[in-house]
Amino acid sequence: MSNFQELSQSAMESFLQHVVVVDDKAYAAASEPVDIVPEKVIPPTRGKVPKKEETKELGEEAPSDVHTHRLHTKELVESFAENGLVCAVLEPSSGEEIGDTILKAAKRADIVVLDWKIHESYGETSLGLIRKIKEEDSSDRLRLIAIYTGENDLSGIADAVKSVFEGEVIVDRGSLFFSAGAISISIMAKERTSVNPEFANRVLKEADLPQRLIQDFSTVTAGIMSNTVLEAYAAIRSTAHCVLSKFSPEMDAPYLAHRALVNPPEEAEMHVVPLIMSEIEAVLDGESKVRQHLSVENVEAWIQNEINSDECRCDAEAVLKDTEETSKDLATDILKKIVVEGVSSNSWKESAPGLAEFLKPVEDEDKSELSRLTGLFCAEGQCERLDRDFAALTSIKSAYGSSAPILQLGAIVAKVACNNNKETTKSYHLCVQPLCDSVRLSRSSGRMFPFLKMKEIDPAKGKMFAVISQGDGTHLELGLSLKGYESALIKFKPKVSNSPIVALEDEGGWYFQSTEPNMKYRWLGNLKLSQAQRVANNLAHELSRVGLTESDWLRRMAK
């Protein structure tokens, strides 16, 4: 295991908290007979759920018919505890409907471990639970589901589980380990289960299962950015009680007084969340384990791991073009110098003349070729999309939950005309109404909102201001005009007096309804507050330009 893989596993260990295990032999009596193992390995079946009769050989009972399926619960729970995870073990009774119970527990669980044979069910119950978990989860809910079984047809089980994700892109991550979307599936066999030799490393005793699951899960999230996020959430969890103490019940009195003083009082409801966020930011600022994943040493470990990986995403061919040697060590050294010392550094250019020529447009800030640098570190053909995703991440406020957007400083909207239930996009705009002027609006008179003009641009030619993800892998690229003569004042009225302008949901999108007939404004996103404040500052600067009568000779001499 490389240094970077170890760091990734460490981040995952910090993040994980809860595990749910479902096994019909979880609390079997310790005095039950010793497990019996068939001498002959059963050939695997593919593409269907293995049946009971298919697990018998030469008249001898298969492991599923005796006690190979018994779970050593004490060892399992203690091993999870040693790894810092809380493990809940559920043993369903025969004929018991357990779906709702599992789903409630699974909502809080990072890992769900299922037996394959549950009473008389040979996979049907487990597949049903996987389907329900998949349906209940949001599309980006990161989760590991493990099958831990005494059945020996592991490949057949894997094929049966894959059928649940039919039509989705399935990424094989190794022997009996794959992902579909945000859900990863790992197939394991219980100790003393007889399997084909190729799957011998998937046979584990209960004491070894937690570490293997953590290792598998960490391969899904292994990355500089994702490891940092995992460590950040671990820090937030570990300090939650400290943050909570700052908002003790004693704070209710001053908050209620604050609410009574604010006009209107309900505006105070928007003041608490920013306070909580500032405390969380303070937690992350003070946590050194979060920053360690962004250190130079970890960046170098990432490059080393990538170059030596069988599925290397780095463009080693471009790195080693026209070099005297073509070793992985040289490619690693060159990339490390570029990242650590910068693309403009001369320390790497002499040993990599071809790469220096390849990256010259990047140094010259050729807009059409800026993504070449990103392309050195990612899969082929992904660089331009990833650059845009990262640009959106750094400038556009992410939208979580289902709260309706509010029209205020930083809101980006598309003006759409509605005729015969058909929408036509007319223009794009950025709202620059100050935050304090976006609340306490009269229902009868409403308020005029100032907007700056935005327009779609050719990235290679125009000045790109904002990149908005469309949700389908494409991006809307917009430029911004600070010219006052291109701005617009548009009137909106709230649904309720003394309230802001709140968007209404319609056909899967959010819309602000202006006073203009047959015209509404589709909400596209909000700039992060600091980005929006910068626009307001630049606008003020643009509007405050002073026109002078002066000697043009003196003006030129002053440059």
Coordinates of all heavy atoms in Angstrom, one line a residue, residues 277-330:
M277 N -22.2 28.7 11.0 CA -21.2 28.5 9.9 C -19.8 29.1 10.3 O -18.8 28.5 10.1 CB -21.6 29.1 8.6 CG -22.8 28.4 8.0 SD -22.5 26.6 7.8 CE -21.1 26.7 6.7
S278 N -19.8 30.3 11.0 CA -18.6 30.9 11.4 C -17.9 30.0 12.5 O -16.6 29.9 12.5 CB -18.8 32.3 12.0 OG -19.6 32.2 13.2
E279 N -18.7 29.3 13.3 CA -18.1 28.4 14.3 C -17.5 27.2 13.7 O -16.4 26.7 14.0 CB -19.1 28.0 15.4 CG -19.6 29.1 16.3 CD -18.5 29.8 17.1 OE1 -17.7 29.0 17.6 OE2 -18.4 31.0 17.1
I280 N -18.1 26.7 12.7 CA -17.6 25.5 11.9 C -16.3 25.9 11.2 O -15.4 25.1 11.1 CB -18.7 25.0 10.9 CG1 -19.9 24.4 11.7 CG2 -18.1 23.9 10.0 CD1 -21.0 23.9 10.9
E281 N -16.3 27.1 10.6 CA -15.1 27.6 9.9 C -14.0 27.7 10.9 O -12.8 27.3 10.6 CB -15.4 28.9 9.3 CG -14.2 29.4 8.4 CD -14.5 30.7 7.7 OE1 -15.6 31.3 7.9 OE2 -13.6 31.2 7.0
A282 N -14.2 28.1 12.1 CA -13.2 28.2 13.2 C -12.7 26.8 13.5 O -11.5 26.6 13.8 CB -13.8 28.9 14.4
V283 N -13.6 25.8 13.5 CA -13.1 24.4 13.8 C -12.2 24.0 12.8 O -11.1 23.4 13.1 CB -14.4 23.5 13.9 CG1 -13.9 22.0 13.8 CG2 -15.2 23.8 15.1
L284 N -12.5 24.2 11.5 CA -11.6 23.7 10.4 C -10.3 24.5 10.3 O -9.3 23.9 10.0 CB -12.4 23.8 9.1 CG -13.7 23.0 9.0 CD1 -14.3 23.2 7.6 CD2 -13.4 21.6 9.3
D285 N -10.4 25.8 10.7 CA -9.1 26.6 10.7 C -8.1 26.1 11.7 O -6.9 26.2 11.6 CB -9.4 28.0 11.0 CG -10.0 28.8 9.7 OD1 -9.8 28.2 8.6 OD2 -10.6 29.8 9.9
G286 N -8.7 25.5 12.8 CA -7.8 25.1 13.9 C -7.4 23.6 13.9 O -6.8 23.1 14.8
E287 N -7.9 22.9 12.9 CA -7.6 21.4 12.8 C -6.5 21.1 11.8 O -6.6 21.2 10.6 CB -8.9 20.7 12.4 CG -8.8 19.2 12.3 CD -8.2 18.6 13.6 OE1 -8.9 18.6 14.6 OE2 -7.1 18.1 13.5
S288 N -5.4 20.7 12.4 CA -4.2 20.5 11.5 C -4.3 19.2 10.7 O -3.8 19.2 9.6 CB -2.9 20.3 12.4 OG -3.1 19.2 13.3
K289 N -5.1 18.2 11.1 CA -5.3 17.0 10.3 C -6.0 17.3 9.0 O -5.9 16.5 8.0 CB -6.1 16.0 11.1 CG -5.3 15.3 12.2 CD -6.0 14.2 12.9 CE -6.1 13.0 11.9 NZ -6.8 11.8 12.5
V290 N -6.8 18.4 9.0 CA -7.5 18.7 7.7 C -6.5 19.2 6.7 O -6.5 18.8 5.5 CB -8.6 19.8 8.0 CG1 -9.2 20.2 6.6 CG2 -9.7 19.2 8.9
R291 N -5.6 20.1 7.2 CA -4.6 20.7 6.3 C -3.5 19.7 5.8 O -2.9 19.9 4.7 CB -3.9 21.8 7.0 CG -4.8 23.0 7.2 CD -4.0 24.3 7.6 NE -4.7 25.2 8.3 CZ -4.7 25.3 9.7 NH1 -4.0 24.4 10.3 NH2 -5.4 26.1 10.3
Q292 N -3.3 18.6 6.6 CA -2.2 17.7 6.2 C -2.5 17.0 4.8 O -1.5 16.7 4.1 CB -2.1 16.6 7.3 CG -3.1 15.5 7.2 CD -2.8 14.3 8.1 OE1 -1.8 14.3 8.8 NE2 -3.7 13.4 8.2
H293 N -3.7 16.9 4.4 CA -4.0 16.3 3.1 C -3.7 17.2 2.0 O -3.8 16.8 0.8 CB -5.5 15.8 3.1 CG -5.8 14.7 4.1 ND1 -5.4 13.4 3.8 CD2 -6.4 14.7 5.3 CE1 -5.8 12.7 4.8 NE2 -6.4 13.4 5.7
L294 N -3.5 18.5 2.3 CA -3.2 19.5 1.2 C -1.7 19.8 1.2 O -1.2 20.7 0.5 CB -4.0 20.8 1.5 CG -5.5 20.6 1.5 CD1 -6.2 21.9 1.9 CD2 -6.0 20.2 0.1
S295 N -0.9 19.2 2.1 CA 0.5 19.5 2.2 C 1.3 19.1 1.0 O 0.8 18.3 0.2 CB 1.1 18.8 3.5 OG 1.1 17.4 3.3
V296 N 2.5 19.7 0.9 CA 3.4 19.3 -0.2 C 3.7 17.8 -0.3 O 3.7 17.2 -1.3 CB 4.7 20.1 -0.2 CG1 5.7 19.6 -1.2 CG2 4.4 21.6 -0.4
E297 N 3.9 17.3 0.9 CA 4.3 15.8 1.0 C 3.1 15.0 0.5 O 3.3 14.0 -0.2 CB 4.6 15.5 2.5 CG 5.8 16.1 3.1 CD 5.6 17.5 3.4 OE1 4.5 18.0 3.5 OE2 6.6 18.2 3.7
N298 N 1.9 15.4 0.8 CA 0.7 14.6 0.4 C 0.5 14.7 -1.1 O 0.1 13.8 -1.8 CB -0.5 14.9 1.1 CG -1.6 13.9 1.0 OD1 -1.4 12.7 0.9 ND2 -2.9 14.4 1.0
V299 N 0.7 15.9 -1.6 CA 0.6 16.2 -3.1 C 1.6 15.3 -3.8 O 1.3 14.7 -4.9 CB 0.8 17.6 -3.4 CG1 1.0 17.9 -4.9 CG2 -0.4 18.5 -2.9
E300 N 2.8 15.3 -3.3 CA 3.9 14.4 -3.9 C 3.5 12.9 -3.9 O 3.8 12.2 -4.8 CB 5.2 14.7 -3.3 CG 5.8 16.1 -3.6 CD 7.1 16.3 -2.9 OE1 7.4 15.7 -1.9 OE2 7.9 17.1 -3.4
A301 N 2.9 12.6 -2.7 CA 2.5 11.1 -2.6 C 1.4 10.8 -3.6 O 1.3 9.7 -4.1 CB 2.0 10.9 -1.1
W302 N 0.5 11.8 -3.8 CA -0.6 11.6 -4.8 C 0.0 11.3 -6.2 O -0.4 10.4 -6.9 CB -1.5 12.8 -4.9 CG -2.7 12.7 -5.8 CD1 -3.9 12.2 -5.5 CD2 -2.7 13.0 -7.2 NE1 -4.7 12.2 -6.6 CE2 -4.0 12.7 -7.7 CE3 -1.7 13.4 -8.1 CZ2 -4.4 12.9 -9.0 CZ3 -2.1 13.6 -9.5 CH2 -3.4 13.3 -9.9
I303 N 1.0 12.1 -6.6 CA 1.6 12.0 -7.9 C 2.4 10.6 -8.0 O 2.2 9.9 -9.0 CB 2.6 13.1 -8.2 CG1 1.9 14.5 -8.3 CG2 3.4 12.9 -9.4 CD1 2.7 15.7 -8.4
Q304 N 3.1 10.3 -7.0 CA 3.8 9.0 -6.9 C 2.8 7.8 -7.1 O 3.0 6.9 -7.8 CB 4.5 8.9 -5.6 CG 5.4 7.6 -5.5 CD 6.8 7.8 -6.1 OE1 7.4 8.8 -5.9 NE2 7.2 6.8 -6.9
N305 N 1.7 7.9 -6.4 CA 0.7 6.9 -6.4 C 0.1 6.7 -7.8 O -0.2 5.6 -8.3 CB -0.4 7.1 -5.4 CG -1.4 6.0 -5.3 OD1 -1.2 4.9 -4.9 ND2 -2.6 6.3 -5.7
E306 N -0.2 7.9 -8.4 CA -0.9 7.9 -9.7 C 0.1 7.3 -10.8 O -0.3 6.5 -11.6 CB -1.3 9.3 -10.1 CG -2.6 9.8 -9.5 CD -3.8 9.0 -10.1 OE1 -3.8 8.7 -11.3 OE2 -4.6 8.6 -9.3
I307 N 1.3 7.8 -10.8 CA 2.2 7.3 -11.8 C 2.5 5.8 -11.8 O 2.6 5.1 -12.8 CB 3.6 8.1 -11.7 CG1 3.4 9.5 -12.1 CG2 4.7 7.4 -12.6 CD1 3.1 9.8 -13.6
N308 N 2.5 5.3 -10.6 CA 2.7 3.8 -10.4 C 1.5 3.0 -10.4 O 1.5 1.8 -10.3 CB 3.5 3.6 -9.0 CG 4.9 4.2 -9.1 OD1 5.6 3.9 -10.0 ND2 5.2 4.9 -8.0
S309 N 0.3 3.6 -10.6 CA -0.9 2.9 -10.6 C -1.1 2.2 -12.0 O -0.7 2.7 -13.0 CB -2.1 3.8 -10.3 OG -3.3 3.2 -10.6
D310 N -1.8 1.1 -11.9 CA -2.1 0.4 -13.2 C -3.1 1.2 -14.0 O -3.2 1.0 -15.2 CB -2.7 -1.0 -12.9 CG -1.6 -1.9 -12.3 OD1 -0.4 -1.7 -12.5 OD2 -2.0 -2.9 -11.5
E311 N -3.9 2.0 -13.3 CA -4.9 2.9 -14.0 C -4.5 4.3 -13.9 O -5.3 5.2 -13.5 CB -6.3 2.6 -13.4 CG -6.8 1.2 -13.5 CD -8.1 0.9 -12.9 OE1 -8.6 1.9 -12.3 OE2 -8.6 -0.2 -13.0
C312 N -3.3 4.6 -14.3 CA -2.7 5.9 -14.1 C -3.5 7.0 -15.0 O -3.7 6.7 -16.2 CB -1.2 6.0 -14.6 SG -0.5 7.6 -14.6
R313 N -3.9 8.0 -14.3 CA -4.7 9.1 -15.0 C -3.7 10.2 -15.6 O -4.2 11.0 -16.4 CB -5.7 9.7 -14.1 CG -6.8 8.8 -13.7 CD -7.7 9.3 -12.6 NE -7.0 9.4 -11.4 CZ -7.5 9.8 -10.2 NH1 -8.8 10.2 -10.2 NH2 -6.8 9.7 -9.1
C314 N -2.5 10.2 -15.0 CA -1.6 11.3 -15.5 C -1.1 11.0 -16.9 O -1.0 9.9 -17.3 CB -0.4 11.3 -14.6 SG -0.8 11.9 -12.9
D315 N -0.9 12.1 -17.7 CA -0.5 12.0 -19.1 C 1.0 11.9 -19.1 O 1.8 12.8 -19.4 CB -1.0 13.2 -19.8 CG -0.8 13.0 -21.4 OD1 -0.1 12.0 -21.8 OD2 -1.2 13.9 -22.1
A316 N 1.5 10.7 -18.8 CA 3.0 10.4 -18.8 C 3.6 10.6 -20.1 O 4.8 11.0 -20.3 CB 3.3 9.0 -18.2
E317 N 2.9 10.3 -21.2 CA 3.4 10.5 -22.6 C 3.8 11.9 -22.8 O 4.8 12.2 -23.4 CB 2.4 10.0 -23.6 CG 2.9 10.1 -25.0 CD 1.9 9.5 -26.0 OE1 0.9 8.8 -25.6 OE2 2.0 9.8 -27.2
A318 N 2.9 12.9 -22.4 CA 3.2 14.3 -22.6 C 4.3 14.8 -21.8 O 5.1 15.6 -22.2 CB 1.9 15.1 -22.4
V319 N 4.4 14.2 -20.5 CA 5.4 14.6 -19.6 C 6.8 14.2 -20.1 O 7.8 14.9 -20.0 CB 5.2 14.0 -18.2 CG1 6.3 14.3 -17.3 CG2 3.9 14.5 -17.6
L320 N 6.9 13.0 -20.7 CA 8.2 12.5 -21.1 C 8.5 12.7 -22.6 O 9.5 12.2 -23.1 CB 8.2 11.0 -20.9 CG 8.0 10.5 -19.4 CD1 7.9 9.0 -19.3 CD2 9.2 11.0 -18.6
K321 N 7.7 13.5 -23.3 CA 8.0 13.8 -24.7 C 9.4 14.5 -24.8 O 9.7 15.5 -24.2 CB 6.9 14.7 -25.2 CG 7.1 15.0 -26.7 CD 6.0 15.9 -27.2 CE 6.2 16.2 -28.7 NZ 5.1 17.1 -29.2
D322 N 10.2 14.0 -25.7 CA 11.5 14.5 -26.1 C 12.5 14.4 -24.9 O 13.5 15.2 -24.9 CB 11.4 15.9 -26.6 CG 10.6 16.0 -27.9 OD1 10.6 15.0 -28.6 OD2 10.0 17.1 -28.1
T323 N 12.3 13.6 -23.9 CA 13.2 13.4 -22.8 C 14.2 12.4 -23.2 O 14.0 11.5 -24.0 CB 12.5 13.1 -21.5 OG1 11.8 11.8 -21.7 CG2 11.5 14.1 -21.1
E324 N 15.4 12.4 -22.5 CA 16.4 11.5 -22.7 C 16.1 10.1 -22.2 O 16.6 9.1 -22.7 CB 17.7 11.9 -22.1 CG 18.3 13.2 -22.7 CD 19.6 13.6 -22.1 OE1 20.0 12.9 -21.1 OE2 20.2 14.7 -22.5
E325 N 15.2 10.0 -21.2 CA 14.8 8.7 -20.7 C 13.3 8.7 -20.5 O 12.7 9.8 -20.5 CB 15.5 8.3 -19.4 CG 15.2 9.4 -18.3 CD 15.8 8.9 -17.0 OE1 15.3 7.9 -16.4 OE2 16.7 9.6 -16.4
T326 N 12.6 7.6 -20.4 CA 11.2 7.5 -20.3 C 10.8 6.7 -19.1 O 9.8 5.9 -19.1 CB 10.6 6.9 -21.6 OG1 11.2 5.6 -21.8 CG2 10.8 7.8 -22.8
S327 N 11.4 6.9 -18.0 CA 11.1 6.2 -16.8 C 10.0 6.8 -16.0 O 9.7 8.0 -16.1 CB 12.3 6.0 -15.9 OG 12.7 7.3 -15.3
K328 N 9.3 6.0 -15.2 CA 8.2 6.5 -14.3 C 8.8 7.5 -13.3 O 8.2 8.4 -12.9 CB 7.5 5.4 -13.6 CG 6.6 4.5 -14.5 CD 5.9 3.5 -13.7 CE 4.9 2.7 -14.6 NZ 4.1 1.7 -13.8
D329 N 10.0 7.2 -12.8 CA 10.7 8.0 -11.8 C 10.9 9.5 -12.4 O 10.7 10.4 -11.6 CB 12.0 7.5 -11.4 CG 11.9 6.2 -10.5 OD1 10.8 6.0 -10.0 OD2 12.8 5.5 -10.4
L330 N 11.3 9.6 -13.6 CA 11.5 10.9 -14.2 C 10.2 11.6 -14.4 O 10.1 12.8 -14.1 CB 12.2 10.8 -15.6 CG 12.4 12.1 -16.4 CD1 13.3 13.0 -15.5 CD2 13.0 11.8 -17.7

